[in-house]
Amino acid sequence: MALIVVKFGGTSVADVARIEVAAGKVAQEVARGNKVVVVVSAMAGVTNQLVAYCDQLGKLYDAREYDAIVASGEQVTSGLMALALQKRGLNARSFQGWQIPIITDDRHGNARVQKINAALLQERLQTGEIIVVPGFQGITADQRITTLGRGGSDTTAVALAAALQADRCDIYTDVDGVYTTDPRIVPKARKIKKISYEEMIEMASLGAKVLQIRSVETAMQDHVAVQVLSTFEDHVGSDLPGTLVVKDEDIMEKNVVTGIAYSRNEAKVTLMKVPDRPGIAAQIFEPMADAAVNVDMIVQNISADSEATDITFTIVATDVPKALKALESIESLKGVEIRVDEDVAKVSIVGIGMISHHGVASLMFRTLADKGINIQVISTSEIKISVLIQKDYMELAVRALHEAYGLEEGG
Ligand code: ASP
Ligand code: MG
């Protein structure tokens, strides 16, 4: 017998019929002798609708009221799920975030979980009750409702699994797992059986948006085994049909490259002939940090004449206006030409096995060269190598790399 937290995303609870299907999965787990805590998202589209209502009243709304409004979508689904379970003759009830409580900080709209009263839930679980918890919502110490950021129900589920020391956290969604790359680009992409937290974070931040990144960080911190699986297939979580996100020690066969991630939402900024003297990098990047611009790859070359050098970096394309504003305010950049290129994409290979293998980067560069793809910027970390290339070549690069590292089905 295991204690499992199961979470159903918006498409899995999009209407009452689907909620009944989801309830059927829970019933099967219970029939196998497991204890289950259910976390639900709002019905698909509901949160967007609630956000739109706020927007109609103007962008300057009070974030505390925004949270009171958008948290309501999950409340509806939690009640419906409890009813659907009861209809199957199961003993179920909903507990809202404030009833447990799930205490968060007061960063409204993007709050972090601080404490969960697990004792109450433990007690109810002992009585055989199935607990249904709305995802996404919490409450501050001074009794204001909060939400955990878009996609935050994943984090609710993982945080509950950690607090309850659950055996597993199953995230039911509309895909059947995490793939070696986007199957829309590479139809032969393969479902990954096990991926480490670190790899998942790299894959998620690079465009494989299956889980909210913060939920993976929480899982990594508290060693929660997370499974991503589909609601629309016959099996249940205990059959382990999906992708398991676990500690790297729990992965026997460490792939050199586990997956290929990409991002089209990139911009390359080049500052031409910046004075080459101590402190200049700090003068450039501090104002951008203050403006909350996230800088990713950075390249600075040595200057031939030790007087001036070019500095190139990448940011997300949507941050370009913010970044330009910050750069234009910098005194020592007066007269420096700033070039922005949004015709770029980032492609990354990710794998924990990279740490102990050589030749991984050279294969990447050879593969791209053979396709005639020019690499503009390179950056590396222990488990990732990223290149910036022209946008038009992105899909070709992803396909070529996927093949080169033998990631396809049967490869
Ligand atoms: N309903 C929220 C959203 O759409 C939270 C979630 O579904 O994870 O962002
Ligand atoms: Mg989601």
Side-chain angles (χ1 to χ4, degrees), residues 7 10 41-42 47-48 74 136 149-154:
K7 180 254 172 181
S41 282
T47 308
N48 288 344
E74 271 73 5
F136 191 44
R150 296 306 304 270
S153 293
D154 294 339

Side-chain angles (χ1 to χ4, degrees), residues 5-10 13 38-43 47 70-71 73-75 77 102 113 133-137 147-161 169-172 210-212 214-215:
V5 174
V6 308
K7 180 254 172 181
F8 294 99
V13 292
V38 187
V39 175
V40 285
S41 282
M43 296 160 105
T47 308
V70 299
E74 271 73 5
Q75 173 161 345
T77 345
I102 296 175
V113 176
V133 179
F136 191 44
Q137 52 167 260
T147 60
L148 308 183
R150 296 306 304 270
S153 293
D154 294 339
T155 300
T156 304
V158 173
L160 274 171
C169 180
D170 285 341
I171 308 276
Y172 283 93
V210 201
L211 293 172
Q212 195 198 35
R214 200 184 280 171
S215 74

Side-chain angles (χ1 to χ4, degrees), residues 91-114:
N91 178 15
R93 75 154 276 188
S94 65
F95 275 95
Q96 305 303 304
W98 61 269
Q99 289 172 313
I100 295 174
I102 296 175
I103 305 283
T104 73
D105 64 15
D106 61 2
R107 285 219 254 150
H108 286 274
N110 196 25
R112 275 176 187 270
V113 176
Q114 290 178 329

